[in-house]
Amino acid sequence: MWFPPYDRFPGEPDTYPNTERSANFCKIATDIGVSTGIAIDEQGRVYVVGARAGVRRYSPPFPTAPDAAGGCGHTDSLGSPLADTVNVETFIPLSTDAATPTGIARAANGNWYVSSVFTGTIAEYTPEGAFVRLVLQKPAGEATLPYSTGHPQGLAVDADGDLYYADLALRISPSGGIGPGPNGTVRWIAFDDAGTPQPPVTI
């Protein structure tokens, strides 16, 4: 969590980055691993997506300054400011529907979309974190990467409630590793009048 000012280095002029690093922040969590998605709801709760941690929900109050008076009097193993108290819960655990969660976006109906890049799925959840349905899944019978419907990572929802996702087009390298392919795409999922997701369209 960063604190203002945001338009300049919060220290002596001309010191960054040669002699001074900013400490105008407070770490809320240091155990998520790889995090690739974040969202905030109307209550100010912060949702953080971790591919190995599921979706966590952090609730206010949050630190107001990077010191003990602002609720950030601890330090981590690097000596960085660390929050004294953190209100966190597992909003969506790792599951078959969100095996490798990577992106999150608010649906028009107040639900949440969560993408899973390796499994090629986008799942929908209620505001309480209960599974509703799969909005996107790879076609039946496809077993090798990349999937024809893509590998969704980042998500966004437009004013009409349509869903967009960044497809990493995952590939298996000659060494056996998995990574983004050379032909990633952005894809669009529209919904009919009954709310049924339509096949994704590459835009």
Side-chain angles (χ1 to χ4, degrees):
M1 184 174 184
W2 291 90
F3 303 104
Y6 303 118
D7 59 341
R8 59 183 171 81
F9 179 69
E12 294 299 319
D14 302 322
T15 58
Y16 175 80
N18 298 321
T19 59
E20 186 179 358
R21 291 179 179 271
S22 175
N24 203 33
F25 63 89
C26 182
K27 290 185 180 179
I28 305 299
T30 59
D31 60 342
I32 297 172
V34 178
S35 174
T36 55
I38 190 168
I40 302 173
D41 69 14
E42 65 280 353
Q43 298 178 48
R45 297 177 296 186
V46 179
Y47 298 75
V48 179
V49 181
R52 296 182 181 178
V55 180
R56 296 181 183 180
R57 181 165 64 188
Y58 296 84
S59 298
F62 295 113
T64 56
D67 53 30
C72 193
H74 291 185
T75 56
D76 69 1
S77 60
L78 300 175
S80 303
L82 185 66
D84 297 331
T85 303
V86 177
N87 302 309
V88 60
E89 59 188 310
T90 299
F91 179 62
I92 298 172
L94 296 177
S95 67
T96 55
D97 305 310
T100 55
T102 45
I104 186 169
R106 198 72 182 266
N109 62 4
N111 286 349
W112 292 99
Y113 297 126
V114 176
S115 60
S116 182
V117 68
F118 287 120
T119 57
T121 58
I122 299 175
E124 183 177 351
Y125 296 87
T126 68
E128 293 74 37
F131 175 76
V132 175
R133 61 178 174 171
L134 286 177
V135 174
L136 176 75
Q137 58 185 321
K138 67 182 179 67
E142 286 194 17
T144 58
L145 305 181
Y147 302 138
S148 62
T149 48
H151 296 268
Q153 183 152 327
L155 300 178
V157 176
D158 70 12
D160 294 325
D162 290 352
L163 177 62
Y164 299 80
Y165 62 95
D167 158 38
L168 293 190
L170 294 182
R171 299 287 193 278
I172 299 176
S173 70
S175 62
I178 298 176
N183 299 309
T185 60
V186 174
R187 304 193 188 195
W188 163 47
I189 297 176
F191 297 84
D192 66 17
D193 292 340
T196 302
Q198 302 303 294
V201 175
T202 299
I203 60 172

